[in-house]
Amino acid sequence: MHFNGCARGGTAPDDRDLAIQKKASMATKPAERPHTKFLDQRLKRDEAFAKKAAEQVVKQQLLHTETHGLMQAESPLERTFRVSQRDIAASRDVDDSTRAKQLSLSLGDAYAIRFTHNGRHLVIGGRRGHLSVLDALRCTAVTELTLDDQRVYDVTPLHNHTLFAVAQQKYVYVYDHRGTEVHQLRSHIEPRRLCFLRYHMLLASIGRPGYLKYQDMSTGDLVATIRTKLGACDVLGHNPSSGVLASGHQTGVVCLWAPSQGTPLVKMLCHSGPVCAVAFDQAGLKMVTSGLDERVTVWDARMFGKAFSYHASPRPATHLAVSQRGLLAMGCGQDVRVFSDCLQTKAHDPYMTHRLPGAARVTALDFRPYEDVLGIGHSEGVQTIVVPGAGEASLDTREANPFERSTQRREGEVHLLLDKIPFDMIALPQPVGAVSSAVAQARLDVVVQQRDAERAAKRLAPVKRKMKGRGKIGSRLKTKHRNIWTVERELKEESEKKRVRDNDAEERARGAAEDRSLDKPGQRALKRFR
């Protein structure tokens, strides 16, 4: 068994000048130089900037020597899921061997864990009220506190480790990195699951009353309160690509939500029993659900169709987690199973397996960003294991920097607030096979223009004079206002109807008088000849 770790890559030193010239030529197109001194200097300055940018790109490629790797079996008879954490620690370097930690904690029960977006800190919360923020790089505790007579159901860090939210027995509370209570969100009643939308600065919660609530953490406003109408809920997933939330219910239904709409965007029957967990991949293309029917199903998040289905035996998968490279982790009782490439193809064997010590049961799973580490929260503490190939090898320090200083963190907070995306832009992506709205609007515009042109041509057409006198202005106005109903016309119609009724009455009276005159004795014999 060998490990495909970090390999050297980049551009060779002999080809550096050639790469710089190629990138510089791609950045600046050759053009005819105008005979203007100012424009000539400006073009020279732009070419110098493009050449400098190309040199920086080549240097960056030389520094990024990391590549993605997975465990590979040396023979067809070997299986990667038989490799234990002890074998991995003996085969890797000292840095990788120290990433696997075991924290046996007796202060809490059923620990919930969540890493920050850059993977530097880990927030843990025990069911009995134990809270802690750990530095995952230095393996030290940033803060630690115990809440008396308070049950903790879920924890989540906010924009960074300085603030984290806790779903307690009655409300949602916000604490800072010193352990001080900062906010008490009384509008979130009896929460069970929390989710923070980083790019929208929204904190979402769902719990026992069955209400999904969005709180804007930058302004403090309650953005939306949505009634799910499906009872209590303790399953909540987040699509990192679109910001759509997915809630799993006891009826086996999974609903997708957006704060701008009070009804579900999509309502899917995913399992024949209660839903246990929902997870999305980083691209937002796949959704994974698990239920008490011992099925783990992979769904296409664009077409909402079933892609693959796995059988989790002998216990159902109560917790799910998807890494940055698409590895799927399942928590089945005392066992943790990791599958590779199970979102794209049908996987038959797990990539890795791990069994918790003693009688511990998995209560939370979360992959550490930009690291090959899987965090496991269980009933007896917190544990981290090494999963080769789980994290992204190269990172963008402007997006997530695990080694940022305090000044960089403050600047990142300012940029995050300035670049905040409005909550009404959270929506489902365009589904595959649907008509593009831009194309449909363009076709509609063409049809409307043709209709307007036809109407304009009819209005400008010359009036035909078929008979003498019909082309006069009075006749045309009378024809035009024929269908217009006015008070004068109504009175005229009533008078006309009255005149017709009177004429009919006179005709009937005249006929009756004539009949009476014919009934005389001298005219009875001649009546039949009339």
Side-chain angles (χ1 to χ4, degrees):
M1 188 74 61
H2 67 279
F3 301 92
N4 238 357
C6 299
R8 293 290 177 182
T11 309
D14 298 338
D15 301 335
R16 186 180 302 176
D17 296 337
L18 182 61
I20 293 174
Q21 294 176 3
K22 183 178 180 180
K23 292 184 179 294
S25 63
M26 293 173 61
T28 58
K29 297 181 179 179
E32 296 182 359
R33 293 291 183 86
H35 299 283
T36 305
K37 183 177 180 181
F38 176 75
L39 294 179
D40 195 12
Q41 293 178 356
R42 183 177 178 181
L43 290 175
K44 288 182 179 179
R45 185 169 62 253
D46 292 344
E47 289 181 359
F49 287 159
K51 186 176 181 180
K52 184 178 180 180
E55 292 177 355
Q56 292 178 355
V57 170
V58 173
K59 291 179 180 179
Q60 186 180 15
Q61 291 180 356
L62 289 173
L63 293 176
H64 284 177
T65 58
E66 299 86 356
T67 57
H68 308 288
L70 295 171
M71 282 194 304
Q72 296 180 358
E74 294 181 352
S75 65
L77 298 178
E78 290 185 351
R79 296 293 182 267
T80 56
F81 63 83
R82 300 184 184 276
V83 179
S84 63
Q85 291 296 312
R86 186 176 301 175
D87 299 335
I88 294 177
S91 302
R92 301 300 294 270
D93 54 4
V94 178
D95 188 16
D96 287 342
S97 61
T98 56
R99 293 174 184 173
K101 295 293 182 180
Q102 171 68 28
L103 299 178
S104 297
L105 303 173
S106 60
L107 299 176
D109 186 16
Y111 275 88
I113 64 171
R114 198 74 61 89
F115 283 97
T116 56
H117 73 286
N118 58 2
R120 176 64 183 267
H121 295 85
L122 173 65
V123 181
I124 65 174
R127 187 62 58 87
R128 297 180 183 176
H130 177 222
L131 298 176
S132 179
V133 179
L134 304 177
D135 190 341
L137 183 63
R138 299 177 180 177
C139 300
T140 57
V142 178
T143 184
E144 189 173 5
L145 68 154
T146 303
L147 305 176
D148 296 334
D149 299 333
Q150 288 289 334
R151 297 180 68 86
V152 174
Y153 293 95
D154 196 10
V155 294
T156 179
L158 300 185
H159 56 284
N160 52 35
H161 74 283
T162 58
L163 292 175
F164 62 95
V166 181
Q168 296 182 199
Q169 188 172 356
K170 294 182 64 176
Y171 308 114
V172 174
Y173 293 83
V174 179
Y175 299 89
D176 62 358
H177 62 286
R178 297 182 182 88
T180 307
E181 180 182 328
V182 180
H183 299 290
Q184 182 183 17
L185 307 180
R186 289 181 173 267
S187 58
H188 301 256
I189 302 173
E190 296 184 7
R192 293 297 180 266
R193 285 293 177 269
L194 299 177
C195 186
F196 181 69
L197 310 182
R198 172 179 170 80
Y199 299 104
H200 306 273
M201 296 295 291
L202 294 178
L203 177 64
S205 72
I206 195 168
R208 187 176 178 182
Y211 284 86
L212 178 62
K213 298 186 179 182
Y214 292 85
Q215 188 93 22
D216 192 341
M217 300 307 294
S218 61
T219 61
D221 298 333
L222 185 64
V223 172
T225 300
I226 303 174
R227 183 186 176 189
T228 61
K229 301 180 182 179
L230 293 172
C233 178
D234 58 352
V235 177
L236 191 64
H238 169 223
N239 190 339
S241 177
S242 60
V244 175
L245 296 183
S247 61
H249 301 273
Q250 298 295 320
T251 57
V253 175
V254 174
C255 299
L256 304 183
W257 305 92
S260 59
Q261 186 172 344
T263 57
L265 301 177
V266 177
K267 198 171 183 180
M268 305 169 56
L269 181 61
C270 298
H271 296 276
S272 59
V275 180
C276 295
V278 179
F280 290 86
D281 64 341
Q282 293 295 319
L285 303 179
K286 300 293 183 180
M287 180 180 71
V288 188
T289 61
S290 65
L292 287 182
D293 55 355
E294 298 183 355
R295 304 299 300 179
V296 178
T297 309
V298 180
W299 303 85
D300 189 346
R302 296 174 295 176
M303 295 292 292
F304 307 107
K306 183 186 296 186
F308 311 104
S309 182
Y310 302 94
H311 181 66
S313 62
R315 297 178 181 270
T318 56
H319 297 83
L320 298 174
V322 181
S323 71
Q324 293 178 326
R325 297 299 301 169
L327 272 67
L328 176 63
M330 306 178 188
C332 306
Q334 198 175 358
D335 299 327
V336 177
R337 302 174 184 176
V338 181
F339 291 83
S340 62
D341 297 332
C342 65
L343 303 181
Q344 306 299 331
T345 59
K346 179 74 173 180
H348 299 283
D349 294 329
Y351 172 62
M352 286 188 63
T353 58
H354 178 71
R355 190 173 183 84
L356 296 177
R361 294 292 182 268
V362 178
T363 57
L365 291 175
D366 193 20
F367 280 97
R368 182 179 175 184
Y370 307 103
E371 293 289 345
D372 297 341
V373 175
L374 173 62
I376 305 172
H378 51 85
S379 57
E380 296 182 359
V382 178
Q383 185 178 4
T384 57
I385 61 174
V386 177
V387 182
E392 193 72 31
S394 60
L395 57 91
D396 185 5
T397 56
R398 293 187 177 182
E399 172 64 22
N401 186 9
F403 313 101
E404 62 184 3
R405 300 187 297 271
S406 59
T407 55
Q408 294 176 340
R409 188 183 70 246
R410 289 194 294 267
E411 290 178 359
E413 293 178 1
V414 174
H415 285 289
L416 190 63
L417 291 174
L418 293 176
D419 299 337
K420 185 180 74 170
I421 303 175
F423 69 90
D424 52 0
M425 296 185 66
I426 298 176
L428 289 176
Q430 186 70 25
V432 177
V435 179
S436 176
S437 59
V439 176
Q441 186 65 29
R443 293 178 180 177
L444 182 60
D445 295 341
V446 172
V447 173
V448 171
Q449 291 178 2
Q450 293 178 357
R451 186 188 61 187
D452 295 341
E454 292 176 358
R455 290 181 178 179
K458 288 182 179 180
R459 286 196 299 266
L460 297 177
V463 180
K464 296 182 180 180
R465 292 183 173 86
K466 296 182 179 180
M467 295 179 63
K468 184 178 180 180
R470 291 193 177 183
K472 294 181 180 180
I473 185 64
S475 301
R476 286 191 291 175
L477 288 176
K478 187 182 296 183
T479 305
K480 182 178 180 181
H481 296 286
R482 182 175 298 170
N483 295 326
I484 299 178
W485 193 264
T486 60
V487 179
E488 292 81 3
R489 184 173 180 180
E490 184 177 0
L491 296 176
K492 186 177 179 181
E493 291 287 340
E494 290 292 336
S495 62
E496 184 68 22
K497 290 180 181 179
K498 185 178 180 182
R499 186 182 63 81
V500 172
R501 288 195 301 268
D502 295 343
N503 292 337
D504 293 341
E506 291 178 359
E507 289 290 338
R508 287 194 298 270
R510 189 181 300 113
E514 290 179 357
D515 292 342
R516 286 195 300 271
S517 63
L518 291 175
D519 289 341
K520 295 179 180 181
Q523 297 180 359
R524 251 177 222 179
L526 301 176
K527 180 179 179 181
R528 55 194 178 98
F529 296 103
R530 292 185 64 87

